[in-house]
């Protein structure tokens, strides 16, 4: 039979009763004749508790030690699930990230996977063991424990699935698939049966929280089919795979909303070559990711440069830009944390015109002002005031015909 990787998120393993339910689902897959590798997150809330505990020790804990601490969450669930399976008379073996030979760079707290030596996993599978691996973690070239950042267990699962050439990577969570938009915002949101890697990448990067973006990047690179489904039902979920796997594409597949951004505007920047680099390079050097960038037309020898950053990095970015303003002789720097980014996403946009016009007219009809715009082949994003975000999502969902069943 096939090789299946199953990843269970924090809500799926929130307590010992739910861990028993996970064990039953894993056992059912094993009994069907499949080789099974299970990747686990920490129990819901545990990572936050560990972070809170560390913050009582010091304001800014050393990143290496934070990784040692945070990795214990996944270690706990991996051991508990293996114990549960063994008590059910199934052969199971738990592995930590370093034991599964998940090798990463040394960026503590947000490490990237460099490679996975799957020999040990494959030996255990040939012996018909259920292999239970702690997600979210690996080790660097010096043997230090590293973690992959929030949502990193998704990345662990897809990367391991690629390394062992699994037939599918099943991501189990508290929702039963990928939806056209957040059901908590729009009651008319509908589950999508299948979605292309590129669409899922865009949706993940623009605010959809179902899958971590790096996991989708791995899946696309190594052509690993992902099945997003619920831990609490037997229903089929959403398949994430290559565009060619499902040639019938909708014009727009989904609407996303992100309230995790802040907007910064540097006003009165001298209209001279290299000034944009002087404004943005210090932000990059600080490791802050910039998303949208807009530069106004020159007026009286100056222009304005506006850009967005993660809201968590807003204060640091503002401090940097205040120094930049003094260095380059700009007029000043202004910021706004009360923004939201709404986006329409769909591969069908590649071959159809009029999507931008419909989006802009829909927002205008709701008297919603657009402050920034960015586009790609398959998405259009608009920055608006945060208080209008949910209204915008519902209006766009209806305008693009997503209210009806897919």
């Amino acid at each position: 039979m096939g090789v299946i990787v199953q990843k269970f998120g924090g809500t799926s393993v929130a307590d010992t009763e739910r861990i028993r339910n996970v064990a039953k689902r894993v056992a059912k897959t094993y009994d069907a004749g499949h080789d099974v590798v299970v990747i686990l997150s920490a129990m819901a809330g545990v990572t936050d508790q560990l972070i809170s505990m560390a913050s009582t020790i010091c304001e800014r804990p050393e990143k290496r030690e934070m990784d040692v601490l945070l990795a214990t969450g996944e270690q706990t669930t991996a051991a508990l699930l293996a114990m549960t399976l063994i008590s059910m008379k199934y052969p199971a073996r738990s592995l930590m990230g370093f034991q599964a030979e998940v090798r990463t760079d040394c960026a503590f707290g947000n490490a990237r996977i460099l490679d996975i030596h799957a020999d040990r996993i494959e030996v255990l599978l040939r012996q018909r063991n259920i292999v239970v691996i702690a997600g979210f973690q690996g080790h660097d070239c010096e043997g230090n424990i590293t973690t992959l950042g929030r949502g990193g267990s998704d990345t662990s699962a897809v990367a391991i699935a690629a390394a062992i050439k699994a037939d599918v990577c099943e991501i189990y969570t508290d929702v039963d698939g990928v939806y056209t938009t957040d059901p908590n915002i729009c009651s008319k949101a509908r589950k999508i049966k299948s979605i292309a890697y590129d669409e899922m990448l865009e949706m993940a990067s623009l605010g959809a929280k179902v899958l971590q973006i790096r996991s989708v990047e791995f899946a696309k690179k190594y052509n690993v089919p992902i099945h997003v489904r619920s831990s609490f039902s037997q229903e089929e979920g959403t398949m994430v795979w290559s565009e060619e796997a499902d040639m019938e594409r909708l014009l727009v597949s989904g609407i996303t909303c992100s309230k995790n951004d802040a907007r910064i505007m540097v006003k009165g920047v001298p209209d001279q070559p290299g000034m944009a680099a002087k404004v943005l390079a210090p932000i990059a050097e600080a490791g802050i990711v910039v998303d949208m960038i807009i530069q106004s037309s020159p007026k009286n020898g100056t222009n304005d440069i506006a850009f967005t950053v993660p809201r968590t990095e807003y204060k640091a970015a503002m401090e940097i830009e205040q120094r930049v303003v003094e260095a380059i002789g700009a007029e000043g720097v202004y910021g706004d944390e009360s923004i939201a980014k709404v986006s329409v996403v769909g591969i069908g946009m590649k071959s159809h015109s009029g999507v931008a016009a419909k989006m802009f007219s829909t927002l205008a009809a709701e008297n919603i002002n657009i402050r920034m715009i960015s586009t790609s082949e398959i998405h259009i994003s608009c920055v608006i005031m945060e208080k209008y975000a949910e209204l915008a999502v519902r209006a766009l969902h209806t305008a693009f015909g997503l209210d009806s069943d897919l």
Side-chain angles (χ1 to χ4, degrees), residues 215-275:
S215 69
V216 187
E217 290 172 345
F218 257 107
K220 180 182 177 183
K221 182 177 180 180
Y222 296 102
N223 199 28
V224 177
I226 299 176
H227 189 184
V228 182
R229 56 195 311 189
S230 172
S231 299
F232 310 113
S233 77
Q234 298 295 325
E235 289 184 18
E236 293 293 306
T238 299
M239 288 300 304
V240 184
W241 47 16
S242 65
E243 182 180 347
E244 292 75 19
D246 183 6
M247 297 302 294
E248 187 176 348
R249 308 305 322 166
L250 293 172
L251 174 61
V252 169
S253 295
I255 313 294
T256 65
C257 175
S258 170
K259 298 179 182 179
N260 301 319
D261 302 288
R263 179 174 179 259
I264 294 175
M265 176 180 286
V266 182
K267 293 185 69 67
V269 177
D271 184 29
Q272 301 169 7
M275 281 298 166

Side-chain angles (χ1 to χ4, degrees), residues 138-248:
H139 70 100
D140 66 14
C141 61
E142 296 182 358
N144 297 303
I145 293 173
T146 57
T147 64
L148 309 181
R150 282 291 189 175
S153 292
D154 285 354
T155 303
S156 297
V158 178
I160 288 169
I164 64 175
K165 297 180 173 56
D167 295 282
V168 66
C169 179
E170 298 179 340
I171 303 288
Y172 288 89
T173 181
D174 54 356
V175 296
D176 59 355
V178 180
Y179 276 69
T180 49
T181 195
D182 186 345
N184 296 314
I185 294 176
C186 179
S187 61
K188 296 178 181 178
R190 297 290 182 266
K191 184 168 67 177
I192 302 170
K193 293 179 181 178
S194 65
I195 188 169
Y197 292 129
D198 285 338
E199 289 176 307
M200 194 67 244
L201 276 170
E202 293 281 7
M203 290 180 70
S205 68
L206 296 169
K209 300 181 178 73
V210 179
L211 287 174
Q212 195 219 40
I213 185 169
R214 281 160 59 189
S215 69
V216 187
E217 290 172 345
F218 257 107
K220 180 182 177 183
K221 182 177 180 180
Y222 296 102
N223 199 28
V224 177
I226 299 176
H227 189 184
V228 182
R229 56 195 311 189
S230 172
S231 299
F232 310 113
S233 77
Q234 298 295 325
E235 289 184 18
E236 293 293 306
T238 299
M239 288 300 304
V240 184
W241 47 16
S242 65
E243 182 180 347
E244 292 75 19
D246 183 6
M247 297 302 294
E248 187 176 348

